[in-house]
Amino acid sequence: MEHFNTPEEALKKLFGYESFREGQKSIIDAILEGKDVFAVMPTGAGKSICYQIPAVVLPGITLVISPLISLMQDQVKSLNEAGIEAAFINSALSEMEFANTVESAKAGAYKIIYVAPERLMTEDFIELAKSISISMVTVDEAHCISQWGQDFRPSYTRIVEFVKELDKRPIISAFTATATENVREDIVCTLGLINPFTLVLGFDRENLFFQVERPKNKEQFVVDYIAEHPDESGIIYCSTRKNVDKIYDLLLAKGVSVAKYHAGMSAEDRKQMQDDFVFDYKSIVVATNAFGMGIDKSNVRFVIHFNMPQSMENYYQEAGRAGRDGLDSKCILLFSPQDVIINKYLLEHKEELDIDPEDLEIIKERDNSRLQAMEKYCYTTECLRNYILRYFGENRDEPCEDCGNCLREFETIDMTDAAKKIINCVYEARGRYGRGIIVDTVLGAKTARLKEIGAMDYKSYGVLNSSTKNMLMRLIEQLIFEKYLVVGDYHVIRLGDISRLKDPNTTVMVKITDEDKKPAKAKKESKKSASMSALTSNGFKLFDKLRELRLEIARAENMPPYIVFNDKTLIEMAAKVPLTDAEMLTVSGVGDSKLKKYGDQFLKAIEEAVKEYPELRKEG
């Protein structure tokens, strides 16, 4: 492999980028100085560059420990496309393929080898590791090593044991996208990092638009959204297989290009569906959270959560699969109180790993705490982006002015008196009923259910009959948010800490919005994206031609289209309209290897477009 004098030279030659993103250079420099490294970088910030560039500059081999087969395969394809010799070792290899990979590794054929954590302590792999020169061990998705992380993998705890087996301790680098302070401390300690260079970049993904909706009909919301965004690729997450099947069947019947993915399907069907989505044969996938880890598809324009996830970590990781190319994308969570009940059930029946009983109790407490934080996200009327960032320990002074809550018009009302009447009703109900019964009671509804349970005889019956159901539901959400009320099993409402309301100066202020109105109009809805806004109408036509060419090449080579070039690179081509190799190399994402492999085809397509639309070159 070609020798590179500097990281910048490797970046330009191999990946086609002129400069490093925030944080990348400092991490790379620390590794090249021989230091251990720990970095928390948001999805799309370019974590992989931070270990791939040192891997090609360092003298030996870099082992990358990754938890997912699909991630390894995509990364190796991308590296090979860029001209970097890489391979993976996991259960997807046959005995013959494994033997060939081992022989090639011993012969010095690779600079980077991806390996599943389960393979580390096998006899064959230890023998291989001792026979090659390992410069660095990189731990990807490092939160998997922490019992307090959301994706704990016991096999990750054997990484330290594996490193001790080596004749010489290599540099150890660890990367993750989502980790609270507790998890970060646990990673550094458990991996045994020695005075690591540590970098925690901001968690903000500025190109993502966050939105929480509480539609009366979630299915209709999904159908309408997809109809309004016909050419966009998206993921719809559901908490149960039953919901996945239901939404999949619904969209299929509507003629939508849709795939599905859940653990109840055969491995063969799951792989087929995943490939259909990744390779752009299907534009939408409906899936449980079993889908997506390691899916590096860059052009996902929206992620809709049909149900509330169990934690902020899970939500941010799943929502973060949108907009990995840096273009504007939507993250929409469809919430209903039933979601909390489903998640509590799933947590109670979660398959427990081989964990110490005392640790298990702590983990359960943390699971419940995470669930409560997620529920509060769904109820809050504050800036959604700031809520997420604060959860991960990053505080902002001002709202983002660009999320569903910031753009929604709220009227703030003093509902202290109504709050006290709601609390009196909950007291009379003795924690036996949900919010629907409570609201119907104070509204004075005449239903058979209220008569059956005796609620018509409550002192609080009809005391808020001049209000509306929507306003009172919002009030109850606020009371839960402020812990005056708590939600118990089966979603019944019980009294919380109401002592503060005894103070005459205490008020309960509620932001009211019309739940029946359409979802908030986003600032970003009027333009395709920040980058695409620079394209002329002819530029859009060229962009579409380049996308068609990319798809044709990708299918001929049996690889995901974004591995050829991502959307961002195609947009820049359509804006710059390069006609020579030198001009093409100024496009971000076009390196020497890709220019050699695809340059002629794309230059020819651009040249033909310029003949058809002569103004293109002047506009570019």
Coordinates of all heavy atoms in Angstrom, one line a residue, residues 83-130:
G83 N -9.4 2.1 -1.6 CA -8.0 1.6 -1.9 C -7.2 1.2 -0.6 O -6.0 1.1 -0.6
I84 N -8.0 0.9 0.4 CA -7.3 0.4 1.7 C -7.6 -1.1 1.8 O -8.8 -1.5 1.8 CB -7.9 1.2 2.9 CG1 -7.7 2.7 2.8 CG2 -7.3 0.7 4.2 CD1 -8.4 3.5 3.8
E85 N -6.5 -1.9 2.1 CA -6.7 -3.3 2.2 C -7.3 -3.6 3.6 O -6.7 -3.3 4.6 CB -5.4 -4.0 2.1 CG -4.7 -3.9 0.7 CD -3.8 -2.7 0.5 OE1 -3.8 -1.9 1.5 OE2 -3.1 -2.7 -0.5
A86 N -8.5 -4.2 3.6 CA -9.2 -4.5 4.8 C -9.9 -5.8 4.7 O -10.3 -6.3 3.6 CB -10.2 -3.4 5.2
A87 N -10.2 -6.4 5.9 CA -11.0 -7.7 5.9 C -11.7 -7.8 7.2 O -11.5 -7.0 8.1 CB -10.0 -8.9 5.8
F88 N -12.7 -8.7 7.3 CA -13.4 -9.0 8.5 C -13.3 -10.4 8.9 O -13.2 -11.3 8.0 CB -14.8 -8.4 8.5 CG -15.7 -9.1 7.4 CD1 -16.2 -10.3 7.6 CD2 -15.9 -8.4 6.2 CE1 -17.0 -10.9 6.6 CE2 -16.7 -9.0 5.2 CZ -17.3 -10.3 5.4
I89 N -13.4 -10.7 10.2 CA -13.5 -12.0 10.7 C -14.6 -12.1 11.7 O -14.7 -11.5 12.7 CB -12.1 -12.4 11.5 CG1 -11.0 -12.4 10.5 CG2 -12.3 -13.7 12.2 CD1 -9.6 -12.7 11.1
N90 N -15.6 -12.9 11.2 CA -16.8 -13.1 12.1 C -17.5 -14.4 11.6 O -17.0 -15.1 10.8 CB -17.8 -11.9 12.0 CG -18.2 -11.6 10.6 OD1 -18.5 -12.5 9.8 ND2 -18.3 -10.3 10.2
S91 N -18.7 -14.7 12.2 CA -19.4 -15.9 12.0 C -19.9 -16.1 10.6 O -20.4 -17.1 10.2 CB -20.5 -16.1 13.0 OG -21.4 -15.0 12.9
A92 N -19.9 -15.0 9.8 CA -20.4 -15.0 8.4 C -19.4 -15.7 7.5 O -19.8 -16.1 6.4 CB -20.7 -13.6 7.9
L93 N -18.2 -15.9 7.9 CA -17.2 -16.6 7.1 C -17.3 -18.1 7.2 O -17.5 -18.6 8.3 CB -15.8 -16.1 7.5 CG -15.4 -14.7 7.4 CD1 -13.9 -14.4 7.8 CD2 -15.5 -14.2 5.9
S94 N -17.1 -18.8 6.1 CA -17.0 -20.2 6.1 C -15.6 -20.6 6.6 O -14.7 -19.7 6.7 CB -17.2 -20.8 4.7 OG -16.1 -20.3 3.8
E95 N -15.3 -21.8 6.9 CA -14.0 -22.3 7.4 C -12.9 -21.9 6.3 O -11.8 -21.5 6.7 CB -14.0 -23.8 7.7 CG -14.7 -24.1 9.0 CD -14.6 -25.6 9.3 OE1 -13.5 -26.2 8.9 OE2 -15.4 -26.1 10.0
M96 N -13.3 -22.2 5.1 CA -12.3 -21.9 4.0 C -12.0 -20.4 3.9 O -10.8 -20.0 3.8 CB -12.9 -22.4 2.6 CG -11.9 -22.1 1.5 SD -10.4 -23.1 1.6 CE -11.1 -24.7 1.1
E97 N -13.1 -19.6 4.0 CA -12.9 -18.1 3.9 C -12.0 -17.6 5.1 O -11.2 -16.8 5.0 CB -14.2 -17.4 3.9 CG -15.0 -17.5 2.6 CD -16.4 -17.1 2.7 OE1 -17.0 -17.1 3.8 OE2 -16.9 -16.6 1.6
F98 N -12.3 -18.2 6.3 CA -11.6 -17.8 7.5 C -10.1 -18.2 7.3 O -9.2 -17.4 7.6 CB -12.1 -18.5 8.7 CG -11.3 -18.3 10.0 CD1 -11.3 -17.1 10.6 CD2 -10.6 -19.3 10.5 CE1 -10.5 -16.8 11.7 CE2 -9.8 -19.1 11.7 CZ -9.8 -17.9 12.3
A99 N -9.8 -19.4 6.8 CA -8.4 -19.8 6.6 C -7.7 -18.9 5.6 O -6.6 -18.5 5.8 CB -8.4 -21.3 6.1
N100 N -8.4 -18.6 4.6 CA -7.8 -17.7 3.5 C -7.5 -16.3 4.1 O -6.4 -15.7 3.8 CB -8.7 -17.5 2.3 CG -8.8 -18.8 1.5 OD1 -7.9 -19.7 1.6 ND2 -9.8 -19.0 0.7
T101 N -8.4 -15.8 4.9 CA -8.2 -14.5 5.5 C -7.0 -14.5 6.5 O -6.2 -13.6 6.5 CB -9.5 -14.0 6.3 OG1 -10.6 -14.0 5.4 CG2 -9.3 -12.6 6.9
V102 N -6.9 -15.6 7.3 CA -5.8 -15.7 8.2 C -4.5 -15.7 7.5 O -3.5 -15.1 7.8 CB -6.0 -17.0 9.1 CG1 -4.7 -17.3 9.8 CG2 -7.1 -16.8 10.1
E103 N -4.4 -16.5 6.4 CA -3.2 -16.6 5.6 C -2.8 -15.3 5.0 O -1.6 -14.9 5.0 CB -3.3 -17.7 4.5 CG -3.3 -19.1 5.0 CD -2.1 -19.4 5.9 OE1 -1.0 -19.1 5.5 OE2 -2.3 -19.9 7.0
S104 N -3.8 -14.6 4.5 CA -3.5 -13.3 3.9 C -3.0 -12.3 5.0 O -2.2 -11.5 4.7 CB -4.8 -12.7 3.2 OG -5.2 -13.5 2.1
A105 N -3.7 -12.3 6.2 CA -3.3 -11.4 7.3 C -1.8 -11.7 7.6 O -1.0 -10.8 7.8 CB -4.2 -11.6 8.5
K106 N -1.4 -13.0 7.8 CA -0.1 -13.3 8.1 C 0.9 -12.9 7.1 O 2.1 -12.6 7.4 CB 0.0 -14.9 8.3 CG -0.6 -15.3 9.6 CD -0.5 -16.9 9.8 CE -1.1 -17.4 11.1 NZ -1.1 -18.8 11.2
A107 N 0.5 -12.8 5.8 CA 1.3 -12.4 4.7 C 1.4 -10.9 4.6 O 2.1 -10.4 3.7 CB 0.8 -13.0 3.4
G108 N 0.7 -10.2 5.5 CA 0.7 -8.7 5.5 C -0.2 -8.1 4.4 O 0.1 -6.9 4.0
A109 N -1.2 -8.8 4.1 CA -2.1 -8.2 3.0 C -3.1 -7.1 3.5 O -3.6 -6.4 2.7 CB -3.0 -9.4 2.4
Y110 N -3.3 -7.0 4.8 CA -4.3 -6.0 5.3 C -3.6 -5.0 6.2 O -2.7 -5.2 6.9 CB -5.4 -6.8 6.1 CG -6.0 -7.9 5.3 CD1 -5.9 -9.2 5.9 CD2 -6.6 -7.7 4.1 CE1 -6.5 -10.3 5.2 CE2 -7.2 -8.8 3.4 CZ -7.2 -10.0 4.0 OH -7.7 -11.1 3.3
K111 N -4.3 -3.8 6.2 CA -3.9 -2.8 7.2 C -5.0 -2.7 8.3 O -4.7 -2.3 9.4 CB -3.9 -1.4 6.5 CG -2.7 -1.2 5.6 CD -1.3 -1.3 6.4 CE -1.1 -0.2 7.3 NZ 0.2 -0.3 8.1
I112 N -6.2 -3.2 8.0 CA -7.3 -3.1 9.0 C -8.0 -4.4 9.0 O -8.4 -4.9 7.9 CB -8.3 -2.0 8.7 CG1 -7.5 -0.6 8.7 CG2 -9.4 -2.0 9.7 CD1 -8.4 0.6 8.4
I113 N -8.3 -5.0 10.1 CA -9.1 -6.2 10.2 C -10.2 -6.0 11.3 O -9.9 -5.6 12.4 CB -8.2 -7.5 10.7 CG1 -7.2 -7.8 9.6 CG2 -9.1 -8.7 10.9 CD1 -6.2 -8.9 10.0
Y114 N -11.4 -6.1 10.8 CA -12.6 -6.0 11.7 C -12.8 -7.4 12.3 O -12.8 -8.4 11.6 CB -13.8 -5.6 10.9 CG -13.8 -4.1 10.6 CD1 -13.0 -3.6 9.6 CD2 -14.5 -3.2 11.4 CE1 -13.0 -2.2 9.3 CE2 -14.5 -1.8 11.1 CZ -13.8 -1.4 10.1 OH -13.7 0.0 9.8
V115 N -13.1 -7.4 13.6 CA -13.4 -8.7 14.3 C -14.5 -8.6 15.3 O -14.7 -7.6 15.9 CB -12.1 -9.2 15.0 CG1 -11.6 -8.2 16.0 CG2 -12.3 -10.6 15.6
A116 N -15.3 -9.6 15.3 CA -16.4 -9.7 16.3 C -15.8 -10.0 17.7 O -14.9 -10.7 17.8 CB -17.4 -10.8 15.9
P117 N -16.4 -9.4 18.8 CA -15.8 -9.5 20.1 C -15.8 -11.0 20.5 O -14.9 -11.4 21.3 CB -16.7 -8.7 21.0 CG -17.9 -8.4 20.2 CD -17.5 -8.4 18.8
E118 N -16.8 -11.8 20.0 CA -16.9 -13.2 20.4 C -15.7 -14.0 19.9 O -15.4 -15.1 20.4 CB -18.2 -13.8 19.9 CG -19.5 -13.3 20.6 CD -19.9 -11.9 20.1 OE1 -19.4 -11.4 19.1 OE2 -20.8 -11.3 20.7
R119 N -15.0 -13.5 18.9 CA -13.9 -14.3 18.3 C -12.6 -14.1 19.0 O -11.6 -14.8 18.8 CB -13.7 -13.9 16.8 CG -14.9 -14.2 15.9 CD -15.3 -15.7 15.9 NE -14.3 -16.4 15.1 CZ -14.5 -16.9 13.9 NH1 -15.6 -16.7 13.3 NH2 -13.6 -17.6 13.3
L120 N -12.5 -13.0 19.8 CA -11.2 -12.6 20.3 C -10.5 -13.7 21.1 O -9.3 -13.9 20.9 CB -11.4 -11.4 21.3 CG -11.8 -10.1 20.6 CD1 -12.0 -9.0 21.7 CD2 -10.7 -9.6 19.6
M121 N -11.1 -14.4 22.0 CA -10.5 -15.4 22.8 C -10.5 -16.8 22.3 O -10.2 -17.7 23.0 CB -11.1 -15.3 24.2 CG -10.8 -14.0 25.0 SD -9.0 -13.6 25.1 CE -8.5 -15.0 26.2
T122 N -10.8 -17.0 21.0 CA -10.8 -18.3 20.4 C -9.3 -18.6 20.1 O -8.5 -17.7 19.9 CB -11.6 -18.4 19.1 OG1 -11.1 -17.4 18.2 CG2 -13.1 -18.0 19.4
E123 N -9.0 -19.9 20.2 CA -7.6 -20.4 20.0 C -7.1 -19.9 18.7 O -5.9 -19.4 18.6 CB -7.6 -21.9 20.1 CG -6.2 -22.5 20.3 CD -6.3 -24.0 20.5 OE1 -7.2 -24.5 21.1 OE2 -5.3 -24.6 20.0
D124 N -7.9 -20.1 17.6 CA -7.4 -19.7 16.3 C -7.1 -18.2 16.2 O -6.1 -17.8 15.5 CB -8.5 -20.0 15.2 CG -8.6 -21.5 15.0 OD1 -7.7 -22.3 15.4 OD2 -9.6 -21.9 14.3
F125 N -7.9 -17.4 16.8 CA -7.7 -15.9 16.6 C -6.5 -15.5 17.5 O -5.7 -14.6 17.0 CB -8.9 -15.1 17.0 CG -8.8 -13.7 16.6 CD1 -9.0 -13.3 15.3 CD2 -8.5 -12.7 17.5 CE1 -8.8 -12.0 14.9 CE2 -8.3 -11.4 17.2 CZ -8.5 -11.0 15.8
I126 N -6.3 -16.0 18.7 CA -5.2 -15.7 19.5 C -3.9 -16.1 18.8 O -2.9 -15.3 18.8 CB -5.3 -16.3 20.9 CG1 -6.4 -15.6 21.7 CG2 -4.0 -16.2 21.6 CD1 -6.7 -16.2 23.0
E127 N -3.9 -17.2 18.1 CA -2.7 -17.7 17.4 C -2.4 -16.7 16.2 O -1.3 -16.3 16.0 CB -3.0 -19.0 16.8 CG -1.8 -19.6 16.0 CD -2.1 -20.9 15.2 OE1 -3.1 -21.6 15.6 OE2 -1.5 -21.2 14.2
L128 N -3.5 -16.2 15.5 CA -3.3 -15.2 14.5 C -2.7 -13.9 15.1 O -1.8 -13.3 14.5 CB -4.6 -14.9 13.8 CG -4.6 -13.7 12.8 CD1 -3.6 -13.9 11.7 CD2 -6.0 -13.5 12.3
A129 N -3.3 -13.4 16.2 CA -3.0 -12.2 16.8 C -1.5 -12.2 17.2 O -0.8 -11.1 17.1 CB -3.9 -11.9 18.0
K130 N -1.0 -13.3 17.7 CA 0.4 -13.4 18.1 C 1.4 -13.5 17.0 O 2.6 -13.3 17.1 CB 0.5 -14.6 19.1 CG -0.1 -14.3 20.4 CD 0.2 -15.5 21.4 CE -0.3 -15.2 22.8 NZ 0.0 -16.3 23.7

